[in-house]
Amino acid sequence: EAEDALRRTNEELEQWVAARTEELLESNRHLELEIGERRKVEKDLRRSEQELEQRVERRTRELATLLEISNAAALSKELAPFLERILELLDGVVGYDGATVYRLESDVLKAVVHRGPIPLDVVLQLHLPVERASLAHELLSTQKPISIPDVRADTPAAGALRQVAGELFDSLFGYVRAWLGLPLAV
């Protein structure tokens, strides 16, 4: 009887150990999954932090540029040098191949300053009439930016830009891929 009791106790103990071992293995699997998920979350969090740091750095650079533009405006007595400084500063923030600031005189936009591959004396000769149904008219009348991501696309805005440039579009403005028009009001 003692041997049977010992055998039953031993079998019960082995069953209990086997059950407990299975519970521990299941707990380990859950912990390993949780550890994997936490590592993924930590990795995503680090990536998000890096992206946030980059955005903060970019925004800080933009704000510093705006502050420098504001200071230049306060110190400038002449328009052309001030506008040249703005184009120089914006290149550090936005990065562009060419930029021109035009001034509205009567119904014509005349170039005041320019930075880019086109020679300044050539740009200064360009005059853009502000006619109804033109890109310049829309820009000035709406006082809203016009963005053309692809100047060769089959869109009304891209077509209007090509029409304004006329025969000079491919020769003089061949380097242009995208275009942004911003109205400046004083």
Side-chain angles (χ1 to χ4, degrees):
E1 283 179 23
E3 275 184 21
D4 283 343
L6 186 59
R7 190 176 26 81
R8 281 192 306 268
T9 304
N10 194 29
E11 287 173 0
E12 289 173 2
L13 184 60
E14 285 180 7
Q15 289 174 354
W16 181 83
V17 168
R20 186 68 180 134
T21 301
E22 186 59 38
E23 288 175 11
L24 290 173
L25 288 172
E26 186 64 26
S27 292
N28 272 351
R29 283 192 287 271
H30 286 294
L31 285 173
E32 287 173 355
L33 287 173
E34 189 175 322
I35 288 170
E37 289 173 9
R38 287 185 182 203
R39 285 182 177 152
K40 182 183 180 293
V41 168
E42 287 174 358
K43 182 180 176 184
D44 291 345
L45 182 61
R46 279 193 299 276
R47 188 177 66 243
S48 293
E49 286 174 348
Q50 289 172 342
E51 289 172 2
L52 180 60
E53 286 175 7
Q54 290 171 348
R55 286 197 319 241
V56 167
E57 183 180 318
R58 184 176 63 243
R59 185 67 179 146
T60 300
R61 204 170 44 245
E62 291 169 357
L63 290 173
T65 299
L66 289 174
L67 178 62
E68 197 166 338
I69 289 171
S70 176
N71 289 337
L75 298 174
S76 292
K77 294 180 181 177
E78 293 184 36
L79 183 63
F82 168 62
L83 293 173
E84 287 171 0
R85 181 68 178 140
I86 288 176
L87 292 184
E88 178 184 327
L89 292 169
L90 286 177
D91 190 28
V93 175
V94 179
Y96 58 82
D97 293 321
T100 306
V101 176
Y102 292 89
R103 178 187 214 156
L104 181 62
E105 295 179 12
S106 298
D107 287 340
V108 176
L109 288 174
K110 295 182 179 178
V112 179
V113 295
H114 170 76
R115 285 181 58 130
I118 303 171
L120 179 61
D121 59 329
V122 172
V123 173
L124 292 176
Q125 300 300 316
L126 299 175
H127 299 266
L128 305 173
V130 181
E131 305 165 336
R132 279 246 186 256
S134 72
L135 201 58
H137 183 268
E138 181 181 345
L139 189 65
L140 295 172
S141 64
T142 64
Q143 286 294 299
K144 294 184 179 176
I146 297 175
S147 174
I148 305 173
D150 180 2
V151 297
R152 286 163 177 65
D154 189 23
T155 63
L161 182 64
R162 290 191 301 269
Q163 183 179 6
V164 167
E167 61 191 36
L168 300 175
F169 183 75
D170 287 323
S171 60
L172 199 56
F173 299 108
Y175 72 96
V176 177
R177 296 292 174 254
W179 184 87
L180 177 65
L182 299 169
L184 302 175
V186 177

